Amino acid sequence: MSMIERIKTRRDANRRARAIEHALRSANSPAVREELLVIAQRHMS
């Protein structure tokens, strides 16, 4: 894996993590939070 690919991968992962955190903060019901966590776990594995 080249250095550029590593940087792009890390940047994408950071962007996804920030998007998930933002969605969790703005989610107003526990059910929505649970769904977001399930989706997040699917992306991380």
Side-chain angles (χ1 to χ4, degrees):
M1 179 181 274
S2 75
M3 183 73 127
I4 293 171
E5 287 176 13
R6 244 189 313 238
I7 291 169
K8 283 181 181 177
T9 302
R10 191 180 315 138
R11 192 176 57 206
D12 289 346
N14 288 339
R15 189 177 296 141
R16 217 179 348 257
R18 270 199 313 272
I20 290 167
E21 286 172 12
H22 178 72
L24 284 170
R25 274 196 299 273
S26 61
N28 50 10
S29 77
V32 173
R33 275 194 198 94
E34 286 296 317
E35 284 296 317
L36 288 167
L37 289 172
V38 168
I39 292 167
Q41 286 173 347
R42 217 176 289 149
H43 277 285
M44 296 301 170
S45 57

PDB file of all heavy atoms in Angstrom, residues 25-41:
ATOM      1  N   ARG A  25     -24.778  12.561  18.004  1.00  0.00           N
ATOM      2  CA  ARG A  25     -25.097  13.738  18.822  1.00  0.00           C
ATOM      3  C   ARG A  25     -26.458  14.325  18.450  1.00  0.00           C
ATOM      4  O   ARG A  25     -27.182  14.800  19.310  1.00  0.00           O
ATOM      5  CB  ARG A  25     -24.019  14.820  18.644  1.00  0.00           C
ATOM      6  CG  ARG A  25     -22.848  14.653  19.568  1.00  0.00           C
ATOM      7  CD  ARG A  25     -22.025  15.912  19.645  1.00  0.00           C
ATOM      8  NE  ARG A  25     -21.479  16.293  18.356  1.00  0.00           N
ATOM      9  CZ  ARG A  25     -20.326  15.859  17.865  1.00  0.00           C
ATOM     10  NH1 ARG A  25     -19.598  15.026  18.567  1.00  0.00           N
ATOM     11  NH2 ARG A  25     -19.903  16.253  16.691  1.00  0.00           N
ATOM     12  N   SER A  26     -26.778  14.300  17.161  1.00  0.00           N
ATOM     13  CA  SER A  26     -28.036  14.922  16.740  1.00  0.00           C
ATOM     14  C   SER A  26     -29.227  13.959  16.812  1.00  0.00           C
ATOM     15  O   SER A  26     -30.365  14.386  16.646  1.00  0.00           O
ATOM     16  CB  SER A  26     -27.900  15.493  15.330  1.00  0.00           C
ATOM     17  OG  SER A  26     -27.605  14.464  14.426  1.00  0.00           O
ATOM     18  N   ALA A  27     -28.959  12.673  17.045  1.00  0.00           N
ATOM     19  CA  ALA A  27     -30.061  11.702  17.161  1.00  0.00           C
ATOM     20  C   ALA A  27     -30.810  11.970  18.462  1.00  0.00           C
ATOM     21  O   ALA A  27     -30.210  12.079  19.516  1.00  0.00           O
ATOM     22  CB  ALA A  27     -29.507  10.284  17.159  1.00  0.00           C
ATOM     23  N   ASN A  28     -32.113  12.089  18.354  1.00  0.00           N
ATOM     24  CA  ASN A  28     -32.886  12.448  19.551  1.00  0.00           C
ATOM     25  C   ASN A  28     -33.602  11.275  20.202  1.00  0.00           C
ATOM     26  O   ASN A  28     -34.207  11.438  21.238  1.00  0.00           O
ATOM     27  CB  ASN A  28     -33.881  13.571  19.226  1.00  0.00           C
ATOM     28  CG  ASN A  28     -34.688  13.258  17.994  1.00  0.00           C
ATOM     29  OD1 ASN A  28     -34.637  12.145  17.508  1.00  0.00           O
ATOM     30  ND2 ASN A  28     -35.418  14.235  17.499  1.00  0.00           N
ATOM     31  N   SER A  29     -33.511  10.093  19.623  1.00  0.00           N
ATOM     32  CA  SER A  29     -34.158   8.956  20.273  1.00  0.00           C
ATOM     33  C   SER A  29     -33.171   7.794  20.410  1.00  0.00           C
ATOM     34  O   SER A  29     -32.295   7.612  19.562  1.00  0.00           O
ATOM     35  CB  SER A  29     -35.390   8.500  19.483  1.00  0.00           C
ATOM     36  OG  SER A  29     -34.985   7.772  18.348  1.00  0.00           O
ATOM     37  N   PRO A  30     -33.312   7.029  21.476  1.00  0.00           N
ATOM     38  CA  PRO A  30     -32.416   5.883  21.696  1.00  0.00           C
ATOM     39  C   PRO A  30     -32.463   4.863  20.546  1.00  0.00           C
ATOM     40  O   PRO A  30     -31.441   4.267  20.213  1.00  0.00           O
ATOM     41  CB  PRO A  30     -32.930   5.251  22.986  1.00  0.00           C
ATOM     42  CG  PRO A  30     -33.680   6.337  23.675  1.00  0.00           C
ATOM     43  CD  PRO A  30     -34.231   7.220  22.585  1.00  0.00           C
ATOM     44  N   ALA A  31     -33.621   4.703  19.927  1.00  0.00           N
ATOM     45  CA  ALA A  31     -33.740   3.736  18.830  1.00  0.00           C
ATOM     46  C   ALA A  31     -32.882   4.164  17.641  1.00  0.00           C
ATOM     47  O   ALA A  31     -32.216   3.334  17.015  1.00  0.00           O
ATOM     48  CB  ALA A  31     -35.197   3.602  18.406  1.00  0.00           C
ATOM     49  N   VAL A  32     -32.880   5.457  17.359  1.00  0.00           N
ATOM     50  CA  VAL A  32     -32.066   5.974  16.254  1.00  0.00           C
ATOM     51  C   VAL A  32     -30.591   5.784  16.582  1.00  0.00           C
ATOM     52  O   VAL A  32     -29.794   5.392  15.730  1.00  0.00           O
ATOM     53  CB  VAL A  32     -32.387   7.465  15.984  1.00  0.00           C
ATOM     54  CG1 VAL A  32     -31.425   8.053  14.964  1.00  0.00           C
ATOM     55  CG2 VAL A  32     -33.820   7.619  15.516  1.00  0.00           C
ATOM     56  N   ARG A  33     -30.209   6.044  17.831  1.00  0.00           N
ATOM     57  CA  ARG A  33     -28.813   5.850  18.245  1.00  0.00           C
ATOM     58  C   ARG A  33     -28.381   4.396  18.060  1.00  0.00           C
ATOM     59  O   ARG A  33     -27.289   4.129  17.581  1.00  0.00           O
ATOM     60  CB  ARG A  33     -28.632   6.246  19.708  1.00  0.00           C
ATOM     61  CG  ARG A  33     -28.402   7.704  19.866  1.00  0.00           C
ATOM     62  CD  ARG A  33     -27.881   8.051  21.249  1.00  0.00           C
ATOM     63  NE  ARG A  33     -28.104   9.470  21.453  1.00  0.00           N
ATOM     64  CZ  ARG A  33     -29.160   9.979  22.046  1.00  0.00           C
ATOM     65  NH1 ARG A  33     -30.084   9.194  22.546  1.00  0.00           N
ATOM     66  NH2 ARG A  33     -29.287  11.283  22.158  1.00  0.00           N
ATOM     67  N   GLU A  34     -29.264   3.490  18.446  1.00  0.00           N
ATOM     68  CA  GLU A  34     -28.942   2.062  18.294  1.00  0.00           C
ATOM     69  C   GLU A  34     -28.714   1.709  16.825  1.00  0.00           C
ATOM     70  O   GLU A  34     -27.772   1.002  16.490  1.00  0.00           O
ATOM     71  CB  GLU A  34     -30.076   1.191  18.860  1.00  0.00           C
ATOM     72  CG  GLU A  34     -30.129   1.162  20.367  1.00  0.00           C
ATOM     73  CD  GLU A  34     -28.894   0.517  20.974  1.00  0.00           C
ATOM     74  OE1 GLU A  34     -28.435  -0.519  20.462  1.00  0.00           O
ATOM     75  OE2 GLU A  34     -28.375   1.073  21.957  1.00  0.00           O
ATOM     76  N   GLU A  35     -29.583   2.216  15.948  1.00  0.00           N
ATOM     77  CA  GLU A  35     -29.428   1.951  14.515  1.00  0.00           C
ATOM     78  C   GLU A  35     -28.109   2.507  13.997  1.00  0.00           C
ATOM     79  O   GLU A  35     -27.404   1.866  13.229  1.00  0.00           O
ATOM     80  CB  GLU A  35     -30.593   2.577  13.724  1.00  0.00           C
ATOM     81  CG  GLU A  35     -31.878   1.798  13.829  1.00  0.00           C
ATOM     82  CD  GLU A  35     -31.751   0.415  13.209  1.00  0.00           C
ATOM     83  OE1 GLU A  35     -31.171   0.277  12.120  1.00  0.00           O
ATOM     84  OE2 GLU A  35     -32.233  -0.537  13.837  1.00  0.00           O
ATOM     85  N   LEU A  36     -27.762   3.717  14.416  1.00  0.00           N
ATOM     86  CA  LEU A  36     -26.508   4.329  13.986  1.00  0.00           C
ATOM     87  C   LEU A  36     -25.306   3.514  14.459  1.00  0.00           C
ATOM     88  O   LEU A  36     -24.334   3.342  13.723  1.00  0.00           O
ATOM     89  CB  LEU A  36     -26.405   5.764  14.501  1.00  0.00           C
ATOM     90  CG  LEU A  36     -27.323   6.771  13.819  1.00  0.00           C
ATOM     91  CD1 LEU A  36     -27.361   8.062  14.601  1.00  0.00           C
ATOM     92  CD2 LEU A  36     -26.883   7.011  12.388  1.00  0.00           C
ATOM     93  N   LEU A  37     -25.366   3.014  15.681  1.00  0.00           N
ATOM     94  CA  LEU A  37     -24.265   2.199  16.203  1.00  0.00           C
ATOM     95  C   LEU A  37     -24.116   0.898  15.424  1.00  0.00           C
ATOM     96  O   LEU A  37     -23.001   0.457  15.142  1.00  0.00           O
ATOM     97  CB  LEU A  37     -24.467   1.918  17.696  1.00  0.00           C
ATOM     98  CG  LEU A  37     -24.268   3.134  18.596  1.00  0.00           C
ATOM     99  CD1 LEU A  37     -24.678   2.803  20.029  1.00  0.00           C
ATOM    100  CD2 LEU A  37     -22.831   3.615  18.553  1.00  0.00           C
ATOM    101  N   VAL A  38     -25.242   0.318  15.046  1.00  0.00           N
ATOM    102  CA  VAL A  38     -25.200  -0.922  14.240  1.00  0.00           C
ATOM    103  C   VAL A  38     -24.547  -0.639  12.888  1.00  0.00           C
ATOM    104  O   VAL A  38     -23.666  -1.382  12.432  1.00  0.00           O
ATOM    105  CB  VAL A  38     -26.619  -1.505  14.047  1.00  0.00           C
ATOM    106  CG1 VAL A  38     -26.632  -2.587  12.994  1.00  0.00           C
ATOM    107  CG2 VAL A  38     -27.142  -2.051  15.376  1.00  0.00           C
ATOM    108  N   ILE A  39     -24.950   0.472  12.270  1.00  0.00           N
ATOM    109  CA  ILE A  39     -24.373   0.842  10.974  1.00  0.00           C
ATOM    110  C   ILE A  39     -22.875   1.125  11.122  1.00  0.00           C
ATOM    111  O   ILE A  39     -22.060   0.708  10.306  1.00  0.00           O
ATOM    112  CB  ILE A  39     -25.113   2.069  10.401  1.00  0.00           C
ATOM    113  CG1 ILE A  39     -26.546   1.680  10.029  1.00  0.00           C
ATOM    114  CG2 ILE A  39     -24.376   2.648   9.209  1.00  0.00           C
ATOM    115  CD1 ILE A  39     -27.462   2.850   9.747  1.00  0.00           C
ATOM    116  N   ALA A  40     -22.502   1.832  12.190  1.00  0.00           N
ATOM    117  CA  ALA A  40     -21.101   2.169  12.431  1.00  0.00           C
ATOM    118  C   ALA A  40     -20.265   0.898  12.601  1.00  0.00           C
ATOM    119  O   ALA A  40     -19.168   0.783  12.056  1.00  0.00           O
ATOM    120  CB  ALA A  40     -20.977   3.058  13.648  1.00  0.00           C
ATOM    121  N   GLN A  41     -20.787  -0.059  13.359  1.00  0.00           N
ATOM    122  CA  GLN A  41     -20.049  -1.298  13.576  1.00  0.00           C
ATOM    123  C   GLN A  41     -19.878  -2.069  12.278  1.00  0.00           C
ATOM    124  O   GLN A  41     -18.848  -2.691  12.048  1.00  0.00           O
ATOM    125  CB  GLN A  41     -20.759  -2.165  14.612  1.00  0.00           C
ATOM    126  CG  GLN A  41     -20.592  -1.628  16.013  1.00  0.00           C
ATOM    127  CD  GLN A  41     -21.433  -2.383  17.024  1.00  0.00           C
ATOM    128  OE1 GLN A  41     -22.321  -3.142  16.669  1.00  0.00           O
ATOM    129  NE2 GLN A  41     -21.166  -2.146  18.295  1.00  0.00           N
TER     130      GLN A  41
END
